[in-house]
Amino acid sequence: MSERVYLGIDLGAESGRVMAGRFDGTRLQLDELHRFANGPTNIAGTLRWNLVGLWKEILIGLTKAAERYGDSIVSVGVDTWGVDYVLLSKTNEVLGVPYNYRDPRTEGMMNAAFSRVPKAEIFAQSGLQFMEINSLYQLLAMQKEQPDVLALADKFLMIPDYFHWLLCGSRVVEFTNATTSQCFHPTENNWAYDMLNKFELPTEIFPEVVTPGTQLGTLRDCIMKETGLGKIPIVTPPTHDTAAAVAAVPTEHTGNANWAYISSGTWSLIGVEVQDAILTDAALKMNVTNEGGVDGTYRLLKNVMGLWLVQGCKRAYEKQGRVYDYTELTMLAEEAEPFRSLVDPNDHPFLHPNDMTIALQEWCKDHSQPVPETPGQLVRCALESLALKYRNVLEGIQELTGETVEVIHIVGGGSNSDLLNQFTANACGVPVITGPVEATVMGNLLIQARTAGEVESLSEIRKIVRQSTESRRFEPQNSSDWQTAYERFCQLLK
């Protein structure tokens, strides 16, 4: 068959891309059409997203797509991070500048929420891990500080759904991102109206929830005119970037929970794919999350702070005029003393510190460990701690599922970090298979291809990924040293 082209708009917390996927029925080849920066903007002491700026860049990418591929383009879809949202008025005006999830206005909102609705009840009605960045606590912060804005809201759209509205006018929320909000009921398969009513949040603003692969409409006439694209369908992929990435994990064991994934980037999301949400007391105690996946599956996982720790160190050194690239930092870490200092990557001081190097040093000092001083010591501390945290999370997830994980697939940008990949195999004691780096956009594009009738199943999607990419394998090493380090790490967590 001749190649058909699918367009994926893939927005991350640090950058965005418009990507083309050329599919011949067997293999998917990617072309990056346009890349652009992203990140929070400080407005009057608050952290916001510049969505207008992102939309301008998206239009540039779509124009390039039209110039290069023309009538070969089948459809387009958007994926982004989770939890953040846009409020639209009845006349489709954006109410305020949307907040970035790291804005500190949600500090203390979880405890305030528990005073109104018990923690166990919130988990039973959402299945989500408790993190102050969740949409629920953002909405409660708005209810407290900006009730006039919330009162004007007619529709709650998550970030990818907002861009789909810009593309075609749809006002719906896609399932996988809805489940990151802590406002969605995983067994009723709809918004958690009972809980939302107890919080006195306006339930009428929550729109219809659609599944991955739904055709939302066709491109607006004004965008066709501006970009040169035809009247192509807008198809919602798994809009949460991790859901899209997991759809493209090249496992041969779809339907089983004996393999784990780590979607590795700014955040590390580690978990397994299950058929139903797990809402037990043990799951609540472990503070795991049940986020939606493709075909009604759930991703039983936990968020770990991820390469945000290393990114923060890099930024801190740049402010000092010391510029390192990630390759240099990794080489320095590789040369540093093993297991000198360890931290809990998920501890609150690392969420949005002014200086990550200072945050790491103070944590080590407060926990009676040698203080990491050099760039190599700091980055090694971060990477070893991440690998040990992965093991800690994985052990808990295996207890919940009753299945033993035999292999870990690492996808996303972090799969390029060979040192972290090897540390992960060492810490967890199972092989690690890495790739593809572009799992998120591949999952986006191949779900669109399935909607177009070119792919039949999730298993086939993963087979296509295996045929289209190369992977690497890391076997566990130095098991006794890592076991000793893990015992010490667990004591630090206590």
Side-chain angles (χ1 to χ4, degrees), residues 145-385:
E145 299 174 6
Q146 299 165 304
D148 53 334
V149 177
L150 189 58
L152 292 172
D154 183 63
K155 279 292 178 285
F156 167 96
L157 299 181
M158 305 198 78
I159 299 297
D161 307 302
Y162 169 69
F163 286 110
H164 285 145
W165 173 77
L166 288 171
L167 287 165
C168 71
S170 62
R171 300 211 309 174
V172 297
V173 171
E174 185 274 324
F175 168 69
T176 66
N177 226 314
T179 62
T180 73
S181 66
Q182 206 158 32
C183 300
F184 188 87
H185 201 301
T187 58
E188 295 183 358
N189 205 32
N190 207 338
W191 299 106
Y193 291 117
D194 182 56
M195 180 188 72
L196 295 169
N197 279 321
K198 289 182 178 181
F199 282 120
E200 300 180 310
L201 289 168
T203 56
E204 67 276 6
I205 69 175
F206 294 93
E208 176 189 358
V209 176
V210 299
T211 57
T214 300
Q215 182 172 324
L216 303 176
T218 54
L219 203 61
R220 291 179 187 262
D221 290 345
C222 58
I223 301 174
M224 292 168 56
K225 183 177 180 180
E226 180 170 350
T227 64
L229 288 169
K231 204 169 188 65
I232 60 174
I234 308 304
V235 173
T236 180
T239 59
H240 186 220
D241 49 13
T242 306
V246 171
V249 169
T251 179
E252 298 183 40
H253 302 288
T254 298
N256 298 313
N258 63 349
W259 59 277
Y261 57 82
I262 301 175
S263 181
S264 180
T266 300
W267 288 89
S268 290
L269 293 96
I270 176 170
V272 297
E273 187 175 76
V274 294
Q275 300 305 307
D276 299 293
I278 295 180
L279 305 175
T280 60
D281 290 341
L284 169 61
K285 183 177 180 181
M286 281 182 53
N287 196 27
V288 294
T289 202
N290 294 272
E291 293 180 357
V294 173
D295 295 343
T297 59
Y298 273 85
R299 293 170 290 118
L300 180 69
L301 63 86
K302 194 174 182 67
N303 287 44
V304 177
M305 202 72 76
L307 291 171
W308 170 253
L309 300 176
V310 179
Q311 294 164 0
C313 290
K314 183 174 182 288
R315 281 191 293 270
Y317 285 125
E318 286 171 353
K319 287 181 180 179
Q320 300 171 15
R322 303 164 65 186
V323 179
Y324 297 96
D325 62 30
Y326 289 117
T327 300
E328 290 174 312
L329 289 174
T330 301
M331 289 177 61
L332 292 171
E334 198 164 7
E335 296 168 357
E337 178 186 350
F339 309 121
R340 184 174 184 271
S341 313
L342 301 171
V343 301
D344 178 0
N346 275 16
D347 211 354
H348 189 272
F350 305 126
L351 185 60
H352 43 70
N354 291 325
D355 186 309
M356 185 65 76
T357 62
I358 293 174
L360 290 166
Q361 290 169 336
E362 290 182 347
W363 201 97
C364 291
K365 182 179 179 182
D366 291 344
H367 291 77
S368 304
Q369 296 185 94
V371 175
E373 301 289 351
T374 68
Q377 289 173 345
L378 283 159
V379 174
R380 184 157 192 135
C381 167
L383 296 180
E384 288 179 339
S385 299

Side-chain angles (χ1 to χ4, degrees), residues 18-245:
V18 177
M19 302 283 288
R22 295 182 287 114
F23 185 52
D24 64 5
T26 303
R27 294 170 59 87
L28 181 70
Q29 297 186 52
L30 302 180
D31 292 333
E32 184 178 290
L33 299 171
H34 185 55
R35 178 182 286 269
F36 43 93
N38 191 22
T41 299
N42 192 314
I43 299 178
T46 65
L47 294 179
R48 312 288 185 118
W49 291 112
N50 180 10
L51 299 190
V52 174
L54 292 178
W55 177 237
K56 180 179 178 181
E57 299 290 350
I58 288 169
L59 290 174
I60 292 171
L62 294 178
T63 301
K64 292 180 178 179
E67 292 171 350
R68 185 175 301 184
Y69 297 112
D71 293 340
S72 298
I73 297 171
V74 180
S75 61
V76 61
V78 183
D79 67 78
T80 78
W81 61 96
V83 306
D84 288 335
Y85 59 86
V86 173
L87 297 178
L88 293 182
S89 73
K90 289 182 179 180
T91 56
N92 290 322
E93 291 295 326
V94 177
L95 298 175
V97 181
Y99 280 91
N100 177 285
Y101 59 83
R102 294 189 190 275
D103 183 85
R105 78 195 190 288
T106 56
E107 291 181 2
M109 289 311 303
M110 283 201 306
N111 287 333
F114 301 157
S115 70
R116 299 169 66 181
V117 179
K119 182 178 182 179
E121 184 175 342
I122 296 173
F123 184 76
Q125 294 206 43
S126 68
L128 214 69
Q129 65 186 322
F130 291 91
M131 300 178 69
E132 65 184 21
I133 67 175
N134 293 346
S135 314
L136 175 62
Y137 309 115
Q138 295 195 45
L139 286 166
L140 293 175
M142 178 169 276
Q143 182 187 65
K144 177 182 177 182
E145 299 174 6
Q146 299 165 304
D148 53 334
V149 177
L150 189 58
L152 292 172
D154 183 63
K155 279 292 178 285
F156 167 96
L157 299 181
M158 305 198 78
I159 299 297
D161 307 302
Y162 169 69
F163 286 110
H164 285 145
W165 173 77
L166 288 171
L167 287 165
C168 71
S170 62
R171 300 211 309 174
V172 297
V173 171
E174 185 274 324
F175 168 69
T176 66
N177 226 314
T179 62
T180 73
S181 66
Q182 206 158 32
C183 300
F184 188 87
H185 201 301
T187 58
E188 295 183 358
N189 205 32
N190 207 338
W191 299 106
Y193 291 117
D194 182 56
M195 180 188 72
L196 295 169
N197 279 321
K198 289 182 178 181
F199 282 120
E200 300 180 310
L201 289 168
T203 56
E204 67 276 6
I205 69 175
F206 294 93
E208 176 189 358
V209 176
V210 299
T211 57
T214 300
Q215 182 172 324
L216 303 176
T218 54
L219 203 61
R220 291 179 187 262
D221 290 345
C222 58
I223 301 174
M224 292 168 56
K225 183 177 180 180
E226 180 170 350
T227 64
L229 288 169
K231 204 169 188 65
I232 60 174
I234 308 304
V235 173
T236 180
T239 59
H240 186 220
D241 49 13
T242 306

